[in-house]
Every structure is written in structure tokens, then in C-alpha cells.
Amino acid sequence: MRLPEGMLDRFAADHPWPRAFLTVSGAHLYGFPSEDSDIDLRGVHLLPLEEIVGLETGEETVTLMWDHGGVEADAVTHDLAKFCTLLLRRNGYVLEQVMSPLVVATSEVHDELKALVPGLVTSNHAHHYLGFARSQWTLFERSRELKPLLYTFRVLLTGIHLMRTGEVEAGLTRLAGGGPPYLPELIEAKRAAEHGGLPDGAPGLPRLRDDVAALTARLEDERGRSCLPEFPADRRALHDLVVRARLG
């Protein structure tokens, strides 16, 4: 993905460590960015060996935020070992970061991580998406903003697709066919206004609640019927990757 001019230079100047990869997450990845959407950069950095084995260690997580010509940039990277620990949990968010097609920077380590992802997906990742959907729906009920409603639909459809296929797909525009018929109109409304409410003609709260409940039930059913394992199959391969990257 092409970032606004100078954004990557600013990130590189402020970030202390080499990166294994940097991808774009958030609304841009999900397919409904507005003109003033934040740019969410996510990735992995590689601490040198001397920053790991000594008494003074490097930062496992680096967080940077800045205003870039009116666009808010939000960057978070984890050291490879911490990121791999997150991959071994039922954390769909980090799977999406590795597999994001919006790649800013990559490496052989990134390629190896992507190759390992199919062996890290489990049926228990459904719990991540179910929990995230509940929190976003609660936020929508409180705020009545369109953004958390689309996040609710996005995570449920991503979870359903993952349980069915084992493939990580975070783009709501590509998943919308599995959701209610009004989703494309909601996506277009979100692209027009970052913090807008429901557009004219949108379904009322009872219909939205029923549709979210139906997708939630579908995700729970898909989890129960999924052929995915309960635990990651490629834990040792991930360990070996960390060791090789550490030793250079």
C-alpha cells in the first residue's frame, strides 16, 4: 500500500528497531475507510540479540502516534517473540496483521510467518470474533454510530469464513455476500463519514439486532462443525523461526 508522502520516513525515523514486516490494518483493511480515517500500521520488529540476553532489554512493543498532515497515524509493532506468542493464542487480530494484503514493508521472516498461518488457525479463534462482536455491538447500542456496527458485522463474517475455510479474510466488501443485503449501503455511508450515524433508509434497531444475533448463532454453529484443530499445529515451527531470526 502506498502511504501518504513522508509517513513511512517519519515512522522509520522514530522507530528504533529493524522490522520484519509492516502492514495496514483498521478501516483500510476492512474495506470502509473514509477520507479522514486513521492509518493503522501494524507489524513486527526484530530486537538484536544484545537487547534480549542482557540486563537491559529492548522494547517488546513500540507504539507511535502522530498527526501527519491532518491524517492520524497509529503504529504498533511487537518484537517477533512476543508476536509469535500472540499468534499461538486465539487472537484473530494478529492473524489479520500477518495476512493483510496492504503491505508496507516485508521480509523473508514475514514470508515464513504467512506460510505458517494455516497451521496456527484453530476452532478456538471463533471466541476472539464472538467476543469482539459483542463489544462492538454494545458500543453501537450506546453511540448509534455506524462504525462499530460495521465492525460487528465484519468480525462475525470474518469468523464464519475462518471456521469454514481456515482462511483469514478481513475485508468486509469481500465478505458482504454472506451478510444482510443492506451491508453495501452501510459501507458506502461509512466511507462518506468516519463518525456518522445510520444513513437514511437503514434498517431499524430490531432488524439490526436480529441480523447480528443470526450471524452470531451462525458463527457458533460453524465453530462446532469446524474441522480446524483446537490448538495450533505449527507451534514448533514458529519456535524454530524465532530462534533462527534471533541468531541471524
Side-chain angles (χ1 to χ4, degrees), residues 33-135:
S34 58
E35 287 189 6
D36 55 346
S37 287
D38 300 349
I39 294 183
D40 299 320
L41 301 173
R42 299 292 183 265
V44 163
H45 62 266
L46 301 169
L47 289 175
L49 195 59
E50 61 268 22
E51 294 287 344
I52 300 165
V53 299
L55 297 179
E56 297 181 4
T57 57
E59 296 169 283
E60 282 193 317
T61 300
V62 175
T63 301
L64 302 170
M65 295 183 68
W66 70 96
D67 182 275
H68 192 86
V71 176
E72 184 172 307
D74 172 12
V76 180
T77 69
H78 299 297
D79 173 59
L80 178 62
K82 179 174 181 179
F83 191 84
C84 289
T85 299
L86 295 173
L87 280 173
L88 290 172
R89 299 173 184 170
R90 58 189 194 194
N91 188 328
Y93 191 41
V94 291
L95 292 176
E96 293 167 12
Q97 292 171 22
V98 174
M99 302 304 293
S100 171
L102 306 180
V103 178
V104 176
T106 189
S107 69
E108 290 184 4
V109 171
H110 186 204
D111 290 339
E112 290 195 53
L113 284 172
K114 288 191 291 184
L116 289 174
V117 162
L120 302 175
V121 176
T122 71
S123 60
N124 284 319
H125 278 88
H127 296 293
H128 165 89
Y129 290 106
L130 289 165
F132 194 8
R134 283 193 295 270
S135 65

Side-chain angles (χ1 to χ4, degrees), residues 80 238-248:
L80 178 62
L238 206 58
H239 165 82
D240 291 343
L241 172 58
V242 173
V243 171
R244 283 188 283 107
R246 289 284 198 244
L247 297 179

